[in-house]
Amino acid sequence: MRLLFATFEGGGHVPAPMLVAQALRRQGHEVLIVSDRCNAAAAAEKGLPFRPWDRAPDRGALGQADSGLDDWRTRWPPAVIRRLCDGVIAAPALAYALDVMEIAAAFRPDVIVSNELLFGVMMAAEKMAVPLALLTASVWCYPTRTDVPAFGPGFPLAVRASDRSRDQITRAVIHRLFDAGLADLNSARRALALAPLSHALDQLKVADRVLLGASQAFDFDGPAAPDGFEYCGPLFETPGWAQGAAVLPDNGRPNVLISFSTTFQDQKPVMRRAMKALARLPVNGVVTLGPAVDRTGLPSADNIRILSHASHDVLVPQCAAVLCHGGHGTLLRPLSHGVPVVALPMGRDHPDNAARLAWLGAGVRLSEHASVAAIARAVRTVLDDPSYRAKAAAFAERLEDRRLSPARAAASLLAMGGQAARRAA
């Protein structure tokens, strides 16, 4: 079977398709990764054939401040969605579609697997009548599910009638906000001789399946996913640039890790406050910077060590707590090791991940604008109250083994392709 994977440089958006493609390639299937040129090296490391976007935007290297999306510049929801529409979903949709159609004409995929933000790829699959799966790297980001809170605000799970009304109203509002990209989407569809959409999110309906790169246990531990959705478990790994071990102190004081994203989100202000908070406490602090942050302007303290990079799977088991932004992979990693978290969400999926953290009781959620004193109190809370570690450990026991997630996703895609082939026959 031949499977084409389409994604773009967006931090956690890249490992998920590469992990699944690698699992399929090991089983003898033909795969092709299409993404920004900066991801060619990561594909080569996994032995995956790669094609760069040609007409579609190239966002440059991981960690750049100006990537063409720049959603970190605002937290106002309509503006965030507008930036998504302009940068990924709608304005470049025709370019993404034309690239995929050109590549697919030569590769002839049996299934196209797209990042959930690339509506142009969805159009290409629709035009070519090729089965389409959407592959996420986090919880579902559109207001099209009614079994979980509307994505964006970071609402807790609905328990009262007023909560359910809140979610219903919020879903309707967010659904309309995405219509900011409707004109661009319909312009692209006209160019492809496709019927116009009534609403922007109607484009999602062409997907045959949505594979959620998240754990059902993390997603409010609800019942089976709705029709068309399937949990395959967390899809993240330690990137090649972050490999490397670091031995943390064993001096009787707890180790606390600070980590705030591999993509640029103007995270230095909150990192500075987090570091100042740890400087006040009897802990050993360790900070990993990643490609988006340099040391300039960060405070120093005798009890804090700064690393340009290191494997979190090596660091986290040595820690008693983690301070982070709440990105899906950064948050799930400590929880998978039974380590509690203090999350200061900055945007994207962070508020919704932090809501799930609080629901689990495995950590504390703060505002990204929390004071040094508030951060210090939260760290003390998760260190001093054993219930946080106990609940993180209990969650780790329910969490799927992420090493098996790529194989689960691969099996689902093969089944989908097989069903399509039988229908065609």
Side-chain angles (χ1 to χ4, degrees):
M1 191 173 291
R2 293 185 297 274
L3 300 97
L4 188 154
F5 289 79
T7 190
F8 69 100
E9 176 46 63
H13 290 298
V14 177
M18 291 202 182
L19 286 168
V20 179
Q22 185 181 42
L24 287 160
R25 187 169 172 83
R26 286 172 176 165
Q27 295 176 36
H29 301 282
E30 294 182 58
V31 300
L32 177 61
I33 298 286
V34 185
S35 189
D36 302 64
R37 284 177 173 78
C38 62
N39 293 318
E45 286 176 6
K46 295 187 182 307
L48 300 175
F50 179 87
R51 282 282 303 271
W53 294 116
D54 182 12
R55 302 168 183 83
D58 189 309
R59 302 184 187 286
L62 178 63
Q64 289 188 148
D66 296 309
S67 65
L69 182 56
D70 303 339
D71 58 334
W72 55 270
R73 295 184 185 276
T74 180
R75 297 288 188 263
W76 189 46
V80 170
I81 291 175
R82 180 82 231 193
R83 284 183 180 275
L84 282 172
C85 289
D86 290 346
V88 183
I89 291 173
L94 181 59
Y96 279 115
L98 293 174
D99 275 354
V100 167
M101 291 171 67
E102 180 180 296
I103 293 167
F107 183 63
R108 298 178 61 199
D110 299 294
V111 176
I112 292 176
V113 187
S114 177
N115 176 276
E116 72 274 17
L117 296 176
L118 297 182
F119 281 38
V121 178
M122 301 176 208
M123 290 181 195
E126 181 183 0
K127 178 67 177 178
M128 296 182 295
V130 177
L132 171 69
L134 304 182
L135 178 65
T136 77
S138 185
V139 297
W140 185 237
C141 69
Y142 296 111
T144 57
R145 289 181 60 178
T146 59
D147 58 327
V148 292
F151 179 92
F155 288 148
L157 187 66
V159 295
R160 297 180 297 272
S162 59
D163 299 333
R164 289 186 284 274
S165 295
R166 170 206 70 192
D167 287 345
Q168 183 178 10
I169 293 168
T170 305
R171 286 189 197 99
V173 170
I174 294 174
H175 201 284
R176 288 195 297 271
L177 289 177
F178 276 99
D179 283 342
L182 184 60
D184 285 330
L185 291 173
N186 279 336
S187 175
R189 291 179 67 84
R190 280 194 301 274
L192 298 171
L194 293 171
L197 303 170
S198 298
H199 296 282
L201 295 188
D202 289 346
Q203 182 63 63
L204 297 168
K205 296 176 182 178
V206 305
D208 298 276
R209 188 168 303 185
V210 176
L211 297 180
L212 300 167
S215 167
Q216 185 173 347
F218 181 65
D219 210 5
F220 294 113
D221 214 3
D227 288 347
F229 290 83
E230 184 176 336
Y231 289 102
C232 56
L235 285 166
F236 61 85
E237 63 176 350
T238 298
W241 56 263
Q243 300 290 342
V247 178
L248 301 185
D250 184 12
N251 55 10
R253 297 187 301 184
N255 298 315
V256 179
L257 171 66
I258 295 175
S259 181
F260 277 82
S261 190
T262 56
T263 61
F264 186 86
Q265 295 176 60
D266 196 26
Q267 54 265 69
K268 272 191 177 179
V270 66
M271 289 181 70
R272 282 193 287 265
R273 280 179 275 116
M275 293 172 70
K276 289 177 181 179
L278 293 195
R280 297 182 176 187
L281 300 175
V283 301
N284 307 307
V286 58
V287 181
T288 55
L289 300 177
V293 181
D294 61 33
R295 296 172 184 246
T296 307
L298 293 178
S300 60
D302 292 340
N303 67 331
I304 296 179
R305 178 183 179 188
I306 300 177
L307 303 174
S308 61
H309 62 271
S311 168
H312 282 195
D313 281 319
V314 174
L315 289 179
V316 167
Q318 304 176 65
C319 290
V322 171
L323 264 166
C324 71
H325 58 301
H328 188 255
T330 307
L331 183 59
L332 263 289
R333 203 180 304 268
L335 293 183
S336 71
H337 290 286
V339 176
V341 175
V342 175
L344 297 93
M346 296 185 293
R348 301 181 182 177
D349 63 339
H350 314 166
D352 295 275
N353 293 328
R356 287 156 176 77
L357 170 72
W359 171 80
L360 288 167
V364 173
R365 172 185 181 175
L366 296 177
S367 163
E368 67 169 308
H369 304 295
S371 67
V372 171
I375 297 171
R377 284 194 300 271
V379 173
R380 278 190 177 277
T381 296
V382 299
L383 292 177
D384 295 344
D385 184 343
S387 70
Y388 289 99
R389 177 169 283 274
K391 289 178 179 177
F395 170 71
E397 291 181 359
R398 305 202 315 277
L399 183 65
E400 302 93 336
D401 185 341
R402 75 172 191 264
R403 292 172 297 183
L404 302 179
S405 297
R408 284 191 289 266
S412 182
L413 291 171
L414 292 175
M416 188 180 92
Q419 291 166 0
R422 288 192 293 273
R423 286 197 301 267

